[in-house]
């Protein structure tokens, strides 16, 4: 009968010796891991991440075992997934072999044949995946990857583990030649080679014993190799996925506790990080997907989101290098924990557009944006070290209530439209939040007027705040000025509480994200809709009926704060379709859309860019030969219009809001 033969050709003392070696290595591994955990807790600030355990476990299964984000990259991702799943099956197979050898015998008959076949199949998939990864690393060499000996050693280590396992099986099969040997097909193929070369039992048995000793030692030493080598990400990435935040929506930053009384604000040193943010640094697999997706990096700025995270890890490792000595003292010196300016350049911190592409692409759920905004908070609130143009915008907002510094009426845009004001009505079904761009920017004013005409055509009961409206200072929060944002939020909430309305309607994705995801932190809970969502709803209900078919070839640019932050992709496209536009999609669209370059207060800064983000995005649109570019954000409108003017194509390639297309189709 086919059955697993445990420790074939090995002396009786081999099994207890192997178990002893593995037990010692495992204990050292656990001690080293505990030392690392203790380091995170000793250096980092406390943070509770033990809530929602079922959801955390489910997410770990999805992103770690399921490799959900890893396989989004077709070549490297699928290769890594093959390697990972192969070793998961290999680990399960080893565990089953232990049970079969020491607890109860069950690997016999058909069960044993299936067991052997599945093990060989998945180890083969692992080796094939490793071959693809080796091709990428040594031939294709994509620039976003990190390179070095520790990656080479990890690849070689895993490859030798797989091949020596097949060799062991092949030596046994070449000696025993059982008729069911084909079930271990990789070992069987190698066995045919030994048989063809006329290797007799006198040669195969001692080679088998030597290979067995080497393989067993290598497997045991893997416990020691993992925590001090590149493969530590097997542990740290799993922990990072499990502990990734669940306390707030993707679009929300965490408020600063005790803002008015705290002695330190933001992130300037390792000690300002939470233990989970330190874990972020350890969890980075250095795949570089965040860097490849980053518009600031593509523009040639000093920012690489991967490097910002690795700066945390490298500073921590300089403080306490990984070691196999779990009793090595932790020497945490305050002069060795500085980050901002000392390790991470300030220019890199200020280049971020907070577009969230880095977070969206990261396969292990690292929170880059929280880290970068935390560093900005430190520079802004602790050191007052702010780019000059941004500092001027802060002053404009403090003086005039808007970043443009305009002191004119916030209702000038509505001239001739008979727009109702809340101060006169007191109550309305919809409160239309116009925003600073809608009030003062020419393109934003066009959008606001188009929205009003559509609301009036649909018979919507709405009103605006008018002169009572003021800037949400969302951009200031992303620039690190939490104090300005909190003051603006409290003032706006006080104004809104004086009126009654069912729905808060916005035309700016930044305001939309703030009201929807961040105002609940301050007790402001509203039903919030972006104008594209609301217009799509009015069209679906038949309250708006376009009379004209524009028939225009249009490409749509996804706003980061509407799309990636809040998952609103279909509504603007549905509105364009009902307007008769013939939509052509850019290669980078929807959740992988490319930023316009305005977010994170970049619209108010003069960040040097070798290849400006907004020009890159417009060039991508121009490659489709559209007749117009559609947007759903006043800042995207501003940036892409500027790019069109720079390239001299503003007249033949107009940039218009989705609402303008629908208003035109309405007649």
């Amino acid at each position: 009968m086919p059955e697993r033969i445990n420790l074939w050709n090995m002396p009786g003392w081999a099994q207890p010796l192997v178990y002893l070696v593995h037990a010692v290595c495992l204990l050292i591994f656990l001690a080293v891991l505990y030392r690392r955990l203790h380091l995170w807790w000793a250096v980092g600030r406390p943070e509770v991440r033990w809530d929602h355990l079922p959801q955390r476990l489910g997410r770990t299964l999805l992103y770690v075992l399921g490799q959900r984000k890893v396989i989004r990259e077709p070549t490297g991702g699928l290769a890594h997934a093959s390697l990972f799943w192969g070793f998961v099956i290999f680990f399960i197979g080893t565990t089953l072999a232990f049970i079969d050898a020491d607890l109860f015998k069950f690997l016999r008959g058909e069960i044993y044949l299936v067991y052997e076949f599945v093990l060989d199949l998945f180890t083969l998939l692992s080796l094939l995946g490793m071959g693809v990864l080796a091709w990428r690393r040594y031939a294709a060499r994509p620039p976003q990857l990190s390179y070095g000996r520790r990656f080479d050693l990890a690849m070689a280590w895993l490859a030798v583990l797989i091949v020596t396992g097949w060799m062991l099986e092949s030596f046994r099969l070449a000696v025993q030649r059982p008729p069911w040997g084909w079930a271990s097909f990789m070992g069987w193929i190698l066995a045919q080679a030994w048989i063809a070369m006329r290797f007799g039992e006198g040669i195969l048995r001692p080679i088998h014993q030597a290979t067995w000793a080497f393989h067993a030692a290598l497997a045991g030493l893997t416990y020691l190799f993992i925590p001090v080598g590149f493969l530590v990400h097997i542990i740290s990435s799993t922990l990072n996925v499990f502990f990734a935040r669940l306390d707030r929506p993707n679009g929300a930053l965490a408020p600063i506790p005790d803002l008015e009384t705290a002695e330190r604000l933001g992130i300037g040193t390792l000690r300002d990080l939470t233990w989970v943010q330190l874990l972020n640094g350890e969890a980075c697999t250095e795949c570089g997907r965040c860097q490849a997706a980053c518009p600031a990096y593509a523009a040639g700025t000093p920012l690489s989101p991967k490097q910002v995270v690795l700066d945390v890890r490298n500073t921590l490792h300089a403080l306490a290098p990984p070691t196999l000595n779990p009793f090595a003292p932790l020497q945490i010196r305050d002069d060795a924990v500085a980050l901002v300016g000392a390790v991470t350049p300030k220019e890199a911190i200020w280049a971020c557009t907070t577009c969230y592409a880095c977070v969206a692409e990261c396969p292990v759920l690292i929170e880059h944006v929280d880290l970068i905004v935390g560093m900005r908070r430190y520079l802004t609130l602790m050191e007052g070290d702010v780019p000059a143009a941004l500092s001027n915008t802060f002053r404009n907002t403090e003086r005039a209530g808007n970043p443009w510094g305009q002191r004119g009426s916030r209702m000038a845009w509505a001239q001739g439209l008979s727009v109702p004001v809340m101060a006169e009505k007191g109550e309305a079904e919809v409160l239309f939040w116009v925003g600073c761009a809608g009030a003062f920017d020419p393109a934003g004013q066009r959008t606001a007027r188009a929205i009003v005409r559509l609301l009036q055509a649909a018979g919507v009961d709405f009103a605006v705040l008018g002169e009572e409206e003021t800037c949400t200072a969302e951009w200031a929060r992303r620039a690190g000025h939490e104090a300005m944002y909190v003051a603006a939020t409290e003032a706006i909430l006080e104004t809104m509480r004086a009126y009654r309305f069912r729905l808060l309607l916005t035309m700016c994705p930044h305001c939309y994200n703030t009201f929807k995801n961040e105002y609940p932190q301050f007790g402001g809970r509203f039903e919030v809709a972006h104008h594209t969502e609301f217009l799509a709803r009015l069209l679906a209900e038949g309250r708006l009926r376009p009379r004209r078919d524009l028939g225009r070839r249009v490409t749509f640019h996804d706003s980061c704060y509407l799309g990636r932050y809040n998952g609103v992709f279909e509504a603007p496209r549905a509105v364009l379709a009902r307007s008769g536009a013939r939509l052509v999609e850019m290669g980078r669209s929807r959740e992988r859309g490319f930023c316009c370059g305005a977010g994170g207060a970049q619209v108010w800064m003069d960040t040097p860019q070798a290849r400006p983000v907004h020009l890159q995005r417009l060039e991508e649109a121009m490659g489709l030969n559209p007749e117009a570019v559609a947007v759903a954000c006043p800042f995207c409108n501003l940036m892409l219009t500027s790019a069109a003017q720079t390239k001299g194509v503003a007249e033949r390639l107009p940039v218009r809001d989705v609402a303008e297309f629908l208003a035109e189709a309405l007649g």
Side-chain angles (χ1 to χ4, degrees), residues 430-434 451 455 503-507 529-531 534:
V430 173
L431 172 59
F432 175 30
W433 182 270
V434 179
I451 292 172
L455 295 179
L503 177 72
L504 180 58
L505 178 66
T506 73
M507 57 175 273
H530 185 259
H531 72 277
F534 194 63

Side-chain angles (χ1 to χ4, degrees), residues 211-427:
T211 306
W212 187 93
F214 176 78
H215 180 79
L218 194 66
L221 290 173
T222 301
Y223 290 118
L224 305 183
F225 177 56
I226 286 176
V228 295
F230 173 67
L231 294 179
V232 70
H233 77 272
I234 297 171
I235 306 299
S236 57
S237 297
T238 302
L239 292 174
N240 201 69
V241 170
F242 180 83
F243 288 116
R245 63 177 170 85
L246 290 171
D247 61 328
R248 60 191 190 277
N250 285 339
L253 294 173
I256 297 178
D258 306 317
L259 177 62
E260 296 182 357
T261 59
E263 293 184 3
R264 288 186 63 83
L265 302 170
I267 297 170
T269 70
L270 285 183
R271 290 193 179 277
D272 298 320
L273 296 164
T274 68
W275 67 270
V276 180
Q277 288 173 314
L278 293 174
L279 172 59
N280 275 190
E282 300 274 17
C284 180
T285 64
E286 301 185 55
C287 66
R289 295 188 189 189
C290 59
Q291 177 179 295
C294 177
Y297 184 84
T301 75
L303 174 62
S304 162
K306 179 180 81 170
Q307 191 57 51
V308 172
V309 172
L310 292 181
D311 286 346
V312 172
R313 186 198 71 185
N314 295 340
T315 305
L316 189 66
H317 284 188
L319 197 67
T323 174
L324 286 175
N325 178 10
F327 307 106
L330 295 177
Q331 298 179 346
I332 305 172
R333 307 188 321 274
D334 286 339
D335 63 342
V337 296
L339 278 175
V340 178
V343 179
T344 304
K346 298 175 185 177
E347 295 80 8
I349 297 167
W350 288 118
C352 178
T353 69
T354 66
C355 71
Y356 215 66
C358 51
V359 180
E361 289 296 325
C362 181
V364 297
L365 310 189
I366 290 172
E367 299 158 11
H368 312 72
V369 172
D370 284 7
L371 176 61
I372 291 172
V373 171
M375 292 178 172
R376 287 181 169 188
R377 285 172 169 174
Y378 174 80
L379 289 173
T380 300
L381 300 174
M382 294 296 294
E383 296 195 349
D385 191 351
V386 176
L390 183 60
S391 181
N392 185 54
T393 308
F394 287 152
R395 287 192 296 271
N396 285 342
T397 306
E398 289 169 349
R399 288 197 311 263
N402 66 83
W404 275 271
Q406 296 287 339
R407 294 184 179 273
S409 170
R410 293 187 75 100
M411 289 297 292
W413 64 273
Q415 187 174 0
L417 288 179
S418 301
V419 177
V421 179
M422 267 296 193
E424 300 169 359
K425 291 190 63 171
E427 181 179 354

Side-chain angles (χ1 to χ4, degrees), residues 137-182:
R137 185 164 291 279
Y138 304 118
R141 296 185 68 82
Q144 69 266 26
L145 286 182
S146 296
Y147 297 89
R149 290 183 179 177
R150 58 199 184 93
F151 301 101
D152 303 338
L153 179 59
M155 296 272 285
W157 193 289
L158 296 178
V160 171
L161 266 179
I162 292 173
V163 173
T164 53
W166 289 342
M167 297 284 284
L168 285 173
E169 189 71 359
S170 73
F171 296 142
R172 180 180 69 82
L173 292 175
V175 172
Q176 294 188 324
R177 305 187 187 185
W180 52 80
W182 55 266

Side-chain angles (χ1 to χ4, degrees), residues 9 33 38 112 163 273 363 579 590 626 633:
N9 191 42
L33 180 60
H38 178 65
Y112 169 68
V163 173
L273 296 164
S579 304
R590 298 181 184 268
C633 170

Side-chain angles (χ1 to χ4, degrees), residues 68-148:
R68 179 177 178 177
K69 281 197 172 184
V70 171
I71 60 177
R72 289 178 65 185
E73 202 279 312
T75 305
L78 287 173
H80 182 278
S82 297
L83 174 61
F84 173 79
W85 289 328
F87 270 88
V88 168
I89 297 298
F90 183 73
F91 175 77
I92 293 172
T94 303
T95 304
L96 293 177
F98 165 76
I99 295 171
D100 180 77
D102 297 295
L103 299 180
F104 62 91
K105 189 76 177 172
F106 71 98
L107 290 177
R108 59 180 59 185
E110 291 184 358
I111 294 176
Y112 169 68
L113 296 180
V114 171
Y115 168 86
E116 288 291 338
F117 182 82
V118 169
L119 275 183
D120 272 27
L121 176 62
F122 274 89
T123 50
L124 176 61
L125 288 175
S126 287
L127 199 64
L128 291 174
M130 204 176 304
V132 174
L133 294 177
W135 171 81
R136 289 185 78 231
R137 185 164 291 279
Y138 304 118
R141 296 185 68 82
Q144 69 266 26
L145 286 182
S146 296
Y147 297 89

Side-chain angles (χ1 to χ4, degrees), residues 5 8-9 112 165-182 184-208:
I5 302 175
W8 174 81
N9 191 42
Y112 169 68
W166 289 342
M167 297 284 284
L168 285 173
E169 189 71 359
S170 73
F171 296 142
R172 180 180 69 82
L173 292 175
V175 172
Q176 294 188 324
R177 305 187 187 185
W180 52 80
W182 55 266
S184 303
F185 62 91
M186 289 306 299
W188 183 84
I189 291 172
L190 290 172
Q192 303 316 300
W194 312 142
I195 293 171
M197 288 187 284
R198 301 182 182 277
F199 283 3
E201 192 170 340
I203 296 175
L204 292 172
R205 281 183 176 272
I207 294 177
H208 172 271

Side-chain angles (χ1 to χ4, degrees), residues 440-463:
F440 299 112
D441 177 65
Q445 290 174 337
R446 285 200 316 268
T447 302
R449 291 177 66 86
I451 292 172
V452 164
R453 289 197 298 271
L454 293 168
L455 295 179
Q456 291 172 338
V460 176
D461 175 26
F462 77 99

